[in-house]
Amino acid sequence: MAFRFNFSIDEYDNSEADTHDKMDLQLHPTKQKQKSTEKNRQAADAVGDSSPRLGTNNRQDEKPSHKKLCFRLAKEHDIPEDLNKVLENKLMETVSGLYYINMSVVEMTCSGDADEEGIVSKSVSSHSDLIPGVYEGGLKIWECTFDLIDYFSEAEIQFTNKTVLDLGCGAGLLGIVALKGRAEKVHFQDYNSTVIDKITLPNAVANCIRTGSGGDTKTSQPPSKRPKKAEHVPSVLTRCRFFSGEWSEVSRLLLSSNKPFSKYDVILTSETIYNPDYYGALHDTLAQLLDKNGRVYLASKVHYFGVGGGIPLFEKFIEERNVFRTSIVKTIDKGLQRCIMEMAFKESS
């Protein structure tokens, strides 16, 4: 399903939702258990078919770079006052009940000044979804994202009143699910500012404008008529903050900011352990930002061939640091083997 936003934004009519694309994103346990993992996997495959920069292509095909990495400084991205422009002429699609920007359109429209980092042109010209220190894959939705979304419902993970970080967010679907699950605050982080501005923020806006103040979904269908101009940011969106930059830099920004900050009850991250060179920064960021009784949910392939990382290597790294305890809470054997890992401080309750 695809449609283009070319209108102003306001509350949508409470029209009857199409049962095929029903957006019930509060993750009610009983209803969600009835949705099979296979259905979401088929949806993920459909995403891959719809866009050359989206889907389930595997990071193990990427070749490691030996160039010296140049880490980006952290930056907070403000939510624009004019939400009409955020979704102007954006082509939206749905998967797993979530709205996301069509990446092919982003590639076509994001050029010149619109892509200050130049990551779109560099990714396309190099035929690579990973350019270490330059572009870290945020223009794609990787398949482990859907594994983790499935797990939230299967394990009845609760986000109500929690503070949540979507680390290495890319499209931001994990954080959006937490937001729809009534999280108190959701922060999104990606390495690239272009990804935040052109993909994460629009995705968050597209999902939030269809919700009530508590996070309830009103309709899953495109509006049947031109809404009135938006006069304010939807209240659910005010619970969000958006950051770009390298993990340790973002951690430093959050901990030194004058804005109130409380450590996260839940940190969500998908396909972020493909490069062993980043394990130290990832570990330290989790240790600095996670609440003492918080949980990390990490989705990953077991092995990233050609890049070097994966679950066993990361588990060994964590064990050597002796800060977190880990457990594999789900293994997916279909296709390349993938896992969901839960992490918590060793001294936590």
Side-chain angles (χ1 to χ4, degrees):
M1 175 182 177
F3 58 90
R4 184 180 298 277
F5 279 101
N6 57 1
F7 45 76
S8 301
I9 300 167
D10 197 8
E11 298 296 335
Y12 288 93
D13 296 334
N14 288 316
S15 56
E16 184 178 354
D18 185 348
T19 57
H20 179 68
D21 287 308
K22 196 170 184 180
M23 283 189 65
D24 187 3
L25 300 181
Q26 289 192 55
L27 302 181
H28 297 294
T30 302
K31 180 181 290 186
Q32 292 295 333
K33 277 188 173 182
Q34 296 171 353
K35 297 182 179 179
S36 68
T37 299
E38 180 61 25
K39 183 177 180 181
N40 276 347
R41 185 65 47 228
Q42 292 172 349
D45 293 339
V47 174
D49 293 338
S50 69
S51 170
R53 312 300 294 172
L54 252 175
T56 61
N57 293 342
N58 301 315
R59 273 183 163 122
Q60 79 275 5
D61 294 332
E62 302 298 334
K63 303 302 182 184
S65 170
H66 298 291
K67 295 180 180 179
K68 183 178 180 180
L69 302 185
C70 180
F71 293 121
R72 302 209 187 282
L73 296 177
K75 170 185 175 183
E76 180 166 4
H77 297 244
D78 295 329
I79 299 172
E81 292 184 5
D82 187 359
L83 297 184
N84 301 293
K85 288 191 175 298
V86 176
L87 295 179
E88 187 176 23
N89 296 322
K90 294 293 193 300
L91 183 65
M92 306 298 298
E93 301 186 23
T94 58
V95 66
S96 297
L98 301 168
Y99 288 85
Y100 69 92
I101 299 291
N102 181 288
M103 304 298 184
S104 297
V105 175
V106 172
E107 285 184 359
M108 290 186 291
T109 60
C110 192
S111 60
D113 294 340
D115 180 15
E116 294 180 358
E117 297 173 300
I119 63 171
V120 174
S121 60
K122 291 174 182 176
S123 175
V124 172
S125 63
S126 65
H127 303 287
S128 176
D129 293 303
L130 293 173
I131 307 175
V134 177
Y135 163 59
E136 296 293 345
L139 296 175
K140 293 182 66 171
I141 301 177
W142 301 88
E143 66 179 330
C144 287
T145 295
F146 300 105
D147 293 334
L148 200 46
I149 290 174
D150 288 342
Y151 178 72
F152 294 157
S153 125
E154 295 164 5
E156 302 181 10
I157 302 299
Q158 299 298 310
F159 295 109
T160 304
N161 299 326
K162 300 289 182 65
T163 58
V164 178
L165 172 63
D166 186 346
L167 191 68
C169 63
L173 299 187
L174 298 176
I176 291 169
V177 170
L179 192 65
K180 299 294 185 179
R182 297 178 178 270
E184 179 180 348
K185 296 178 183 178
V186 178
H187 293 176
F188 299 83
Q189 177 277 335
D190 194 87
Y191 185 80
N192 293 106
S193 61
T194 299
V195 171
I196 293 292
D197 288 335
K198 304 301 181 182
I199 297 174
T200 317
L201 247 168
N203 286 348
V205 170
N207 285 277
C208 285
I209 61 177
R210 296 174 180 279
T211 64
S213 60
D216 296 324
T217 298
K218 289 187 173 182
T219 174
S220 65
Q221 291 299 295
S224 58
K225 62 181 181 179
R226 182 183 178 91
K228 297 178 181 179
K229 185 175 180 179
E231 297 180 354
H232 56 80
V233 175
S235 59
V236 66
L237 194 58
T238 63
R239 296 187 237 151
C240 301
R241 292 174 69 184
F242 300 85
F243 302 90
S244 64
E246 190 266 334
W247 289 323
S248 61
E249 294 294 328
V250 171
S251 179
R252 185 178 296 110
L253 174 64
L254 287 167
L255 296 173
S256 63
S257 173
N258 292 328
K259 294 183 179 180
F261 173 73
S262 57
K263 294 191 175 185
Y264 300 106
D265 299 307
V266 180
I267 296 179
L268 309 172
T269 189
S270 174
E271 307 228 30
T272 49
I273 62 170
Y274 55 90
N275 190 338
D277 291 341
Y278 300 160
Y279 286 2
L282 177 58
H283 175 278
D284 292 347
T285 297
L286 297 176
Q288 291 168 0
L289 298 183
L290 186 67
D291 182 78
K292 64 179 182 179
N293 292 316
R295 294 292 184 272
V296 176
Y297 295 100
L298 181 152
S300 171
K301 294 179 178 66
V302 173
H303 296 289
Y304 290 92
F305 301 103
V307 185
I311 290 289
L313 192 61
F314 187 66
E315 281 184 309
K316 181 180 178 182
F317 183 93
I318 294 298
E319 183 179 354
E320 291 173 351
R321 289 296 183 99
N322 199 34
V323 173
F324 293 102
R325 65 175 188 267
T326 66
S327 61
I328 301 301
V329 294
K330 181 180 180 180
T331 299
I332 303 97
D333 291 317
K334 183 178 180 181
L336 287 173
Q337 192 176 52
R338 307 181 300 281
C339 293
I340 307 294
M341 175 188 289
E342 180 179 313
M343 299 173 58
F345 287 114
K346 286 195 166 185
E347 298 178 355
S348 64
S349 58

